């Protein structure tokens, strides 16, 4: 098990202290450097580095602490705490002596898997006595079957094999909860919600919680969390009253209320109009992914913030193989018209180049069948995922083994609001993008980190050049990869999101008055709409009705 997900991704200097470990031990260096390539990451058996050196994060592996007395442990924690920079984090790992395999070994007279004598409670007390503040405690488990009477006798969770605790010598900030109501969980939420969430929780006193639309959820109070944030993602209310009801509940409970939208509402215009765009009007602020979309949304709410899509980690840089066919990749959601336009050209290239080129088509059987190439591969099972999707890992593997990625996008209002995510995914995988100017001309410097085609003739000419010129392909691929490395990783941007949330929280009374004024302005047009049932008096529970419309990406 590695522990990169517990290190704040902003960390530029990290020390992992392992103690004496076996040959099968794996440190977290490689995985964390993929998240934060600018980090200086040191792996040491003990603290033997320059006494003046300070770190953003230090991982103390179980071997260093598992058999120390209380006083020895406190002294050790103080020693490492002194090596932290401001906002530094100490991360402790601790094997659980009550893990099922240990219990079985005791019963069978076998050597223990873990020889830890330190308990989680004892470690937490030592952290407190060393004047550190604990802010996160997690347990890693593997389920192993034990007789029920033994589980009851142990009186502990025997499935837990390791505890991970994070602490800081700094004063803890106010406890903050960020709740998410997720309307679309397959395509958009992983990038827009789950990725930044996983980074937020590495920071002190940040808790995140998400649930699908239609599920009940709890409203928390200041007794639970000092700061509370609620975000709707890709949900439109089918009535003005329903949108206002949720606003009233959240305001009564002291929440900052945000909306997340990363596609143009024009495809669902009828539903939005029927509720007066209440899901944008009633929130304190809106966050989105592109400037084009932000400009549209600002007519309903002046507080719109752009957070472009970013990637979780940088992949290892691609190793190019001149002896393989040049592989061309096509795969995007709802690009049937675009593919049909390119198909005659692709078929001609397949005829002209034969086995010198190969095609990878993502999921769409009809595209695969229409392509008249002797060297082609269909990625994914067309009988699964509505013939539209494949697991992300398979998509990424297909890109990593492709040389050229086709990113056509027709020019219309909906497409202009889309993000450049496909380009940065291609760049991360080492596939050169040949793209439409719609969306991609804002990020691609033609001939430098990708290629733009404005018409079919230019598409054909540039595709031929890319097939024939491996040196140019490699040069452009490396430029695009470096662009992602230095500009488009979430580790470089997630703090900006938190900073914006905290700025909004500081202005919450003022923002609430503005939202109420916007609601009052459009309320008269809904005076004949049936009222909603009043929310519970204690505001302890909420519910996003299952017939609130979920916005599906296209």
């Amino acid at each position: 098990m590695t522990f990169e997900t517990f290190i704040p991704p902003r960390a530029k200097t990290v020390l992992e202290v392992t103690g004496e470990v076996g040959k099968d031990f794996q440190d977290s260096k490689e995985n964390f450097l993929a998240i934060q390539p600018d980090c200086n990451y040191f792996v040491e058996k003990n603290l033997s580095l320059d006494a003046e050196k300070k770190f953003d994060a230090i991982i103390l592996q179980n071997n260093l602490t598992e058999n120390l007395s209380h006083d020895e442990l406190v002294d050790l924690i103080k020693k490492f705490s002194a090596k932290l920079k401001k906002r530094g984090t100490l991360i402790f790992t601790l094997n659980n002596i009550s893990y099922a395999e240990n219990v079985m070994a005791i019963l069978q007279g076998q050597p223990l898997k873990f020889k830890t004598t330190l308990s989680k409670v004892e470690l937490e007390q030592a952290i407190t006595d060393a004047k550190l503040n604990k802010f996160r405690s997690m347990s890693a488990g593997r389920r192993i079957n034990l007789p029920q009477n033994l589980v009851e006798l142990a009186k502990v969770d025997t499935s837990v094999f390791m505890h991970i605790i994070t602490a800081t010598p700094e004063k803890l900030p106010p406890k903050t909860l960020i709740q998410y109501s997720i309307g679309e969980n397959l395509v958009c939420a992983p990038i827009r919600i789950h990725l930044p969430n996983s980074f937020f929780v590495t920071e002190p006193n940040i808790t995140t919680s998400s649930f699908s639309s239609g599920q009940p959820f709890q409203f928390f109070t200041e007794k639970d969390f000092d700061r509370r944030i609620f975000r709707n993602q890709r949900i439109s209310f089918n009535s003005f009253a329903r949108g206002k009801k949720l606003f009233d509940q959240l305001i009564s409970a002291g929440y900052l209320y945000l909306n997340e939208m990363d596609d143009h509402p024009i495809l669902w215009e009828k539903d939005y109009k029927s509720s007066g765009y209440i899901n944008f009007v009633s929130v304190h602020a809106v966050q989105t992914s592109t400037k084009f979309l932000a400009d549209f949304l600002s007519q309903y709410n002046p507080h719109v913030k752009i957070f472009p899509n970013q990637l979780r980690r940088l992949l290892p840089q691609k190793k190019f193989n001149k002896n393989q066919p040049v592989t061309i990749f096509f795969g995007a959601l709802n690009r049937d018209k675009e593919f049909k336009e390119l198909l005659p050209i692709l078929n001609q290239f397949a005829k002209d180049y034969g086995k010198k080129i190969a095609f990878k088509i993502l999921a769409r059987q009809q595209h695969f069948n229409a392509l008249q190439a002797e060297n082609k591969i269909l990625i994914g099972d067309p009988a699964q995922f509505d013939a539209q999707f494949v697991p992300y890992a398979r998509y990424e593997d297909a890109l990593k083994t492709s040389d050229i990625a086709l990113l056509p996008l027709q020019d219309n209002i909906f497409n202009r609001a889309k993000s450049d995510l496909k380009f940065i995914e291609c760049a991360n995988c080492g596939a050169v993008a040949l793209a439409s100017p719609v969306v991609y001309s804002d990020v691609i410097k033609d001939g430098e980190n990708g290629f733009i085609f404005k018409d079919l003739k230019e598409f054909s000419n540039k595709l031929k050049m890319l097939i024939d010129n491996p040196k140019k392909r490699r040069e452009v691929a490396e430029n695009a990869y470096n662009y992602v490395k230095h500009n488009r990783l979430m580790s470089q941007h997630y703090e900006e999101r938190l900073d914006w949330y905290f700025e909004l929280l500081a202005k919450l009374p003022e923002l609430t008055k503005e939202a109420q004024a916007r609601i009052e302005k459009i309320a008269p047009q809904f005076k004949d709409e049936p009222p909603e049932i009043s929310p519970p008096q204690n505001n302890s529970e909420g519910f996003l009705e299952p017939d609130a419309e979920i916005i599906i990406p296209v």
Side-chain angles (χ1 to χ4, degrees):
M1 180 176 178
T2 56
F3 303 94
E4 66 279 355
T5 57
F6 295 88
I7 306 171
R10 59 179 163 77
K12 298 294 182 67
T13 53
V14 175
L15 172 64
E16 182 171 353
V17 191
T18 65
E20 296 294 334
V21 293
K23 292 182 179 180
D24 60 344
F25 173 80
Q26 182 182 357
D27 62 58
S28 304
K29 180 176 181 177
E30 181 179 348
N31 291 341
F32 186 73
L33 290 179
I35 293 171
Q36 178 51 271
D38 291 334
C39 178
N40 290 314
Y41 197 112
F42 303 89
V43 180
E44 299 287 334
K45 286 186 177 180
N46 51 59
L47 185 58
S48 59
L49 295 175
D50 180 358
E52 298 302 315
K53 196 164 191 66
K54 300 276 188 176
F55 299 91
D56 294 306
I58 299 175
I59 301 176
L60 298 183
Q61 292 289 2
N62 176 82
N63 295 344
L64 291 168
T65 62
E66 61 182 354
N67 294 309
L68 295 180
S69 69
H70 177 79
D71 290 343
E72 290 172 332
L73 185 55
V74 170
D75 288 342
L76 182 74
I77 294 172
K78 287 181 177 179
K79 176 182 177 182
F80 282 102
S81 178
K83 300 294 295 179
L84 289 173
K85 294 180 181 179
K86 187 176 182 181
R87 297 178 68 205
T89 299
L90 265 177
I91 302 165
F92 302 85
T93 72
L94 180 67
N95 291 334
N96 177 23
I97 195 171
S98 300
Y99 178 48
E101 289 188 14
N102 261 16
V103 174
M104 291 297 293
I106 292 171
L107 294 174
Q108 297 169 359
Q110 300 294 324
L112 295 179
K113 179 177 178 65
F114 301 142
K115 297 180 180 179
T116 303
T117 60
L118 185 69
S119 71
K120 178 187 176 185
V121 172
E122 289 169 331
L123 175 57
E124 290 178 332
Q125 186 59 55
I127 291 170
T128 299
D129 291 346
K131 308 301 183 185
L132 268 70
N133 296 304
K134 184 190 77 171
F135 64 85
R136 190 181 184 197
S137 179
M138 299 283 288
S139 296
R142 299 190 191 106
R143 186 65 63 182
I144 292 182
N145 292 327
L146 279 178
Q148 186 60 35
N149 61 328
L150 294 179
V151 174
E152 294 172 357
L153 183 64
K155 294 185 179 180
V156 292
D157 190 347
T158 55
S159 66
V160 172
F161 70 89
M162 178 169 285
H163 304 290
I164 305 99
I165 300 171
T166 55
T168 178
E170 302 286 326
K171 180 181 177 181
L172 292 180
K175 291 175 66 176
T176 301
L177 170 69
I178 309 176
Q179 285 177 277
Y180 301 84
S181 172
I182 296 178
E184 192 289 315
N185 208 11
L186 182 62
V187 177
C188 304
I191 287 290
R192 299 299 299 175
I193 304 296
H194 303 318
L195 172 56
N197 273 8
S198 68
F199 285 16
F200 293 162
V201 296
T202 65
E203 299 293 344
N205 273 3
I206 302 287
T207 299
T208 65
S209 173
S210 62
F211 56 92
S212 297
S213 174
Q215 293 181 339
F217 60 91
Q218 181 179 358
F219 286 133
F220 292 89
T221 70
E222 63 273 11
K223 293 180 180 179
D224 306 300
F225 295 94
D226 304 293
R227 304 183 290 199
R228 299 168 305 288
I229 302 168
F230 188 95
R231 278 175 54 192
N232 266 341
Q233 182 250 3
R234 297 181 70 96
I235 295 173
S236 67
F237 296 100
N238 60 5
S239 72
F240 169 83
R242 287 192 173 176
K244 186 175 184 303
K245 172 185 173 181
L246 181 59
F247 170 80
D248 290 339
Q249 288 178 290
L250 288 167
I251 296 309
S252 178
Y255 276 74
L256 172 68
Y257 182 22
L258 305 176
N259 181 282
E260 156 76 35
M261 188 61 181
D262 60 342
D263 264 332
H264 202 292
I266 192 170
L267 288 194
W268 309 278
E269 188 173 23
K270 180 180 177 181
D271 299 301
Y272 280 108
K273 280 186 175 180
S274 69
S275 64
Y277 289 84
I278 186 67
N279 50 310
F280 302 129
V281 170
S282 65
V283 296
H284 293 115
V286 180
Q287 68 177 57
T288 190
S289 52
T290 69
K291 184 179 184 303
F292 188 90
L293 194 47
D295 289 343
F296 174 83
L297 295 172
S298 63
Q299 66 185 300
Y300 304 106
N301 193 310
H303 306 290
V304 181
K305 186 74 171 179
I306 304 168
F307 293 117
N309 287 325
Q310 315 293 351
L311 300 180
R312 180 182 185 273
R313 87 271 194 249
L314 188 72
L315 294 173
Q317 191 158 11
K318 184 174 184 175
K319 295 180 180 179
F320 297 88
N321 189 338
K322 296 181 180 179
N323 300 319
Q324 297 292 328
V326 177
T327 301
I328 300 168
F329 174 89
F330 180 87
L333 190 63
N334 292 329
R335 297 291 179 273
D336 295 350
K337 292 180 180 179
E338 288 88 341
F339 185 83
K340 188 175 181 179
E341 284 186 349
L342 301 182
L343 183 60
I345 298 173
L346 298 179
N347 282 337
Q348 186 62 51
F349 271 77
K351 180 179 178 180
D352 294 344
Y353 282 91
K355 292 185 177 180
K356 292 181 180 179
I357 64 174
F359 293 87
K360 291 192 174 181
I361 305 297
L362 198 71
R364 306 309 295 276
Q365 185 75 56
Q366 66 269 38
H367 295 168
F368 182 79
N369 293 342
L371 185 62
Q372 299 168 9
E374 55 183 313
N375 198 357
K376 61 181 181 177
I377 300 173
L378 180 67
I379 306 298
D381 183 350
Q384 295 181 338
F385 305 105
D386 299 323
Q388 294 271 13
F389 308 106
V390 300
Y392 190 82
R394 293 200 65 184
Y395 162 69
E396 197 172 61
D397 285 343
L399 272 179
K400 287 190 290 187
T401 52
S402 298
D403 301 289
I404 302 165
L406 308 181
L407 304 181
L409 200 58
Q410 290 190 336
D411 188 10
N412 55 53
I413 291 176
F414 185 80
N415 284 347
R416 290 177 200 172
K418 285 191 168 295
S419 82
D420 60 5
L421 177 61
K422 287 289 182 288
F423 166 70
I424 61 175
E425 289 174 332
C426 293
N428 195 30
C429 293
V432 176
L434 178 55
S436 300
V438 178
V439 171
Y440 299 111
S441 62
D442 292 335
V443 65
I444 292 178
K445 297 180 180 179
D446 191 40
E448 184 176 328
N449 62 354
F451 289 90
I452 297 292
F453 67 91
K454 300 181 181 66
D455 52 45
L456 293 179
K457 182 179 180 180
E458 190 172 14
F459 172 81
S460 181
N461 291 339
K462 289 184 174 178
L463 181 57
K464 185 177 189 308
M465 180 273 299
L466 282 169
I467 294 171
D468 294 339
N469 194 335
K471 182 179 179 181
K472 186 63 174 178
R473 280 202 315 270
R474 179 167 185 164
E475 173 192 322
V476 172
E478 289 176 347
N479 289 341
Y481 180 84
N482 287 326
Y483 167 75
V484 169
K485 178 179 180 179
H486 297 298
N487 300 280
R488 300 303 296 272
L489 298 176
M490 184 60 75
S491 61
Q492 300 155 346
H493 301 277
Y494 77 100
E495 289 183 281
E496 181 186 359
R497 299 189 185 209
L498 288 175
D499 290 343
W500 184 60
Y501 298 159
F502 298 152
E503 289 173 9
L504 294 175
L505 282 162
K507 301 184 294 184
L508 189 56
E510 173 188 343
L511 293 172
T512 297
K513 289 180 181 179
E514 292 182 18
Q516 289 169 331
R518 290 193 298 271
I519 293 171
E520 290 172 4
K521 185 175 180 180
I522 65 172
Q525 60 186 290
F526 300 99
K527 65 181 185 300
D528 297 326
E529 186 179 81
E532 281 291 303
I533 299 173
S534 299
Q537 291 298 311
N538 60 9
N539 287 315
S540 61
E541 291 185 357
F543 194 83
L544 279 182
E545 291 81 354
D547 53 349
E549 179 164 347
I550 297 172
I551 305 302
I552 304 299
V554 296

Coordinates of all heavy atoms in Angstrom, one line a residue, residues 448-480:
E448 N 2.7 23.5 -33.1 CA 3.6 23.5 -31.9 C 3.3 22.4 -30.9 O 4.1 21.6 -30.5 CB 3.6 24.9 -31.3 CG 4.6 25.0 -30.1 CD 4.6 26.4 -29.6 OE1 4.4 27.4 -30.4 OE2 4.9 26.6 -28.4
N449 N 2.0 22.4 -30.4 CA 1.6 21.4 -29.4 C 0.4 20.6 -29.9 O -0.2 19.9 -29.2 CB 1.3 22.0 -28.1 CG 0.1 23.0 -28.1 OD1 -0.4 23.4 -29.2 ND2 -0.3 23.5 -27.0
G450 N 0.1 20.8 -31.2 CA -1.0 20.1 -31.9 C -1.3 20.7 -33.2 O -0.5 21.6 -33.6
F451 N -2.4 20.3 -33.9 CA -2.7 20.8 -35.2 C -4.2 21.1 -35.3 O -5.0 20.4 -34.7 CB -2.3 19.8 -36.3 CG -0.8 19.7 -36.5 CD1 -0.1 18.7 -35.7 CD2 -0.1 20.5 -37.3 CE1 1.3 18.6 -35.9 CE2 1.3 20.4 -37.5 CZ 2.0 19.5 -36.7
I452 N -4.5 22.2 -35.9 CA -5.9 22.7 -36.2 C -6.2 22.5 -37.6 O -5.4 22.9 -38.5 CB -6.0 24.1 -35.7 CG1 -5.8 24.3 -34.2 CG2 -7.4 24.6 -36.1 CD1 -6.8 23.6 -33.3
F453 N -7.4 22.0 -38.0 CA -7.8 22.0 -39.4 C -9.1 22.7 -39.5 O -10.0 22.6 -38.6 CB -8.0 20.5 -39.9 CG -9.1 19.7 -39.2 CD1 -10.4 19.7 -39.8 CD2 -8.9 19.0 -38.1 CE1 -11.4 19.0 -39.2 CE2 -9.9 18.2 -37.5 CZ -11.2 18.3 -38.1
K454 N -9.2 23.6 -40.5 CA -10.4 24.5 -40.6 C -11.3 23.9 -41.7 O -12.5 24.3 -41.8 CB -10.0 25.9 -41.0 CG -9.1 26.6 -40.0 CD -8.7 28.0 -40.4 CE -7.8 28.7 -39.4 NZ -6.5 28.1 -39.3
D455 N -10.9 23.0 -42.5 CA -11.7 22.4 -43.5 C -11.2 21.0 -43.8 O -10.1 20.6 -43.3 CB -11.8 23.2 -44.8 CG -10.5 23.6 -45.3 OD1 -9.6 22.7 -45.4 OD2 -10.3 24.8 -45.7
L456 N -11.9 20.2 -44.7 CA -11.5 18.9 -44.9 C -10.2 18.7 -45.7 O -9.4 17.8 -45.5 CB -12.6 18.2 -45.7 CG -13.9 18.0 -44.9 CD1 -15.0 17.3 -45.8 CD2 -13.7 17.2 -43.7
K457 N -9.9 19.7 -46.6 CA -8.7 19.7 -47.3 C -7.5 19.8 -46.4 O -6.5 19.1 -46.5 CB -8.7 20.8 -48.4 CG -7.4 20.8 -49.2 CD -7.4 21.9 -50.2 CE -6.1 21.9 -51.1 NZ -6.1 23.0 -52.1
E458 N -7.6 20.8 -45.4 CA -6.6 21.0 -44.4 C -6.4 19.8 -43.5 O -5.3 19.4 -43.2 CB -6.8 22.2 -43.6 CG -5.6 22.7 -42.7 CD -5.8 24.0 -42.1 OE1 -7.0 24.5 -42.0 OE2 -4.9 24.6 -41.5
F459 N -7.6 19.1 -43.2 CA -7.5 17.9 -42.4 C -6.7 16.8 -43.1 O -5.8 16.2 -42.6 CB -8.9 17.4 -42.1 CG -9.0 16.0 -41.5 CD1 -8.8 15.9 -40.2 CD2 -9.2 14.9 -42.3 CE1 -8.8 14.6 -39.6 CE2 -9.2 13.6 -41.7 CZ -9.0 13.5 -40.4
S460 N -7.0 16.6 -44.4 CA -6.3 15.6 -45.2 C -4.8 15.9 -45.3 O -4.0 15.0 -45.1 CB -6.9 15.5 -46.6 OG -6.3 14.5 -47.4
N461 N -4.5 17.2 -45.6 CA -3.0 17.5 -45.7 C -2.3 17.3 -44.4 O -1.1 16.8 -44.4 CB -2.9 19.0 -46.2 CG -3.4 19.2 -47.6 OD1 -3.5 18.2 -48.4 ND2 -3.7 20.4 -48.0
K462 N -2.9 17.7 -43.3 CA -2.1 17.6 -42.0 C -2.1 16.2 -41.5 O -1.1 15.8 -40.9 CB -2.8 18.6 -41.0 CG -2.5 20.0 -41.3 CD -3.0 21.0 -40.3 CE -2.6 22.4 -40.6 NZ -3.1 23.4 -39.6
L463 N -3.1 15.4 -41.8 CA -3.1 14.0 -41.4 C -2.0 13.3 -42.2 O -1.2 12.5 -41.6 CB -4.4 13.4 -41.7 CG -4.5 11.9 -41.3 CD1 -4.2 11.6 -39.8 CD2 -5.9 11.3 -41.6
K464 N -1.8 13.6 -43.5 CA -0.8 13.0 -44.3 C 0.6 13.4 -43.8 O 1.5 12.5 -43.7 CB -0.9 13.4 -45.8 CG 0.1 12.7 -46.7 CD -0.2 13.1 -48.2 CE 0.7 12.3 -49.1 NZ 2.1 12.2 -48.8
M465 N 0.8 14.7 -43.5 CA 2.0 15.1 -42.9 C 2.4 14.4 -41.6 O 3.5 14.0 -41.4 CB 2.0 16.6 -42.7 CG 3.3 17.2 -42.2 SD 3.4 17.2 -40.4 CE 2.0 18.2 -39.9
L466 N 1.4 14.2 -40.8 CA 1.6 13.6 -39.5 C 2.0 12.1 -39.7 O 2.9 11.6 -38.9 CB 0.4 13.7 -38.6 CG 0.2 15.1 -37.9 CD1 -1.2 15.2 -37.3 CD2 1.3 15.3 -36.9
I467 N 1.4 11.4 -40.6 CA 1.7 10.0 -40.9 C 3.1 9.9 -41.4 O 3.9 9.0 -41.0 CB 0.7 9.4 -41.8 CG1 -0.7 9.3 -41.2 CG2 1.1 8.0 -42.3 CD1 -1.8 8.9 -42.1
D468 N 3.5 10.8 -42.3 CA 4.8 10.7 -43.0 C 6.0 11.3 -42.2 O 7.1 11.0 -42.6 CB 4.7 11.5 -44.4 CG 3.7 10.8 -45.3 OD1 3.4 9.6 -45.1 OD2 3.2 11.5 -46.3
N469 N 5.7 12.0 -41.2 CA 6.8 12.7 -40.5 C 6.9 12.4 -39.0 O 6.3 13.1 -38.2 CB 6.6 14.3 -40.7 CG 7.8 15.1 -40.3 OD1 8.6 14.6 -39.5 ND2 7.9 16.3 -40.8
P470 N 7.5 11.3 -38.7 CA 7.6 10.8 -37.3 C 8.4 11.8 -36.4 O 8.0 12.0 -35.2 CB 8.3 9.5 -37.4 CG 9.0 9.5 -38.7 CD 8.2 10.3 -39.6
K471 N 9.3 12.5 -37.0 CA 10.1 13.5 -36.2 C 9.2 14.6 -35.7 O 9.3 15.1 -34.6 CB 11.2 14.0 -37.0 CG 12.1 15.0 -36.3 CD 13.3 15.5 -37.1 CE 14.1 16.5 -36.4 NZ 15.2 17.1 -37.2
K472 N 8.3 15.1 -36.6 CA 7.4 16.2 -36.3 C 6.4 15.7 -35.2 O 6.1 16.4 -34.3 CB 6.7 16.7 -37.5 CG 5.8 18.0 -37.3 CD 6.7 19.2 -36.8 CE 5.9 20.4 -36.7 NZ 6.7 21.6 -36.2
R473 N 5.9 14.5 -35.4 CA 4.9 13.9 -34.5 C 5.5 13.9 -33.1 O 4.9 14.3 -32.1 CB 4.6 12.5 -34.9 CG 3.5 12.4 -35.9 CD 2.8 11.0 -35.9 NE 3.7 9.9 -35.7 CZ 4.3 9.2 -36.6 NH1 4.1 9.5 -37.9 NH2 5.1 8.1 -36.3
R474 N 6.8 13.5 -33.0 CA 7.4 13.3 -31.7 C 7.6 14.7 -31.0 O 7.4 14.9 -29.9 CB 8.7 12.6 -31.8 CG 9.4 12.4 -30.5 CD 10.6 11.5 -30.6 NE 11.2 11.2 -29.3 CZ 12.0 10.2 -29.0 NH1 12.3 9.3 -29.9 NH2 12.5 10.1 -27.8
E475 N 8.1 15.7 -31.9 CA 8.3 17.0 -31.3 C 7.1 17.6 -30.8 O 7.0 18.2 -29.7 CB 8.9 17.9 -32.5 CG 9.1 19.3 -32.2 CD 9.3 20.2 -33.4 OE1 10.1 19.7 -34.3 OE2 8.8 21.3 -33.5
V476 N 6.0 17.5 -31.6 CA 4.7 18.1 -31.1 C 4.1 17.4 -29.9 O 3.6 18.0 -29.0 CB 3.7 18.1 -32.3 CG1 2.3 18.6 -31.8 CG2 4.2 19.0 -33.4
A477 N 4.3 16.1 -29.9 CA 3.8 15.3 -28.8 C 4.5 15.7 -27.5 O 3.9 15.8 -26.4 CB 3.9 13.8 -29.0
E478 N 5.8 15.9 -27.6 CA 6.6 16.3 -26.4 C 6.2 17.7 -25.9 O 6.1 17.9 -24.7 CB 8.1 16.2 -26.7 CG 8.6 14.7 -26.8 CD 10.0 14.6 -27.2 OE1 10.6 15.7 -27.6 OE2 10.6 13.5 -27.1
N479 N 6.0 18.6 -26.8 CA 5.5 20.0 -26.5 C 4.2 19.9 -25.7 O 4.0 20.6 -24.7 CB 5.4 20.8 -27.7 CG 6.8 21.2 -28.3 OD1 7.8 21.1 -27.6 ND2 6.8 21.6 -29.5
A480 N 3.3 19.1 -26.3 CA 1.9 19.0 -25.6 C 2.0 18.4 -24.3 O 1.4 18.8 -23.3 CB 1.0 18.2 -26.5

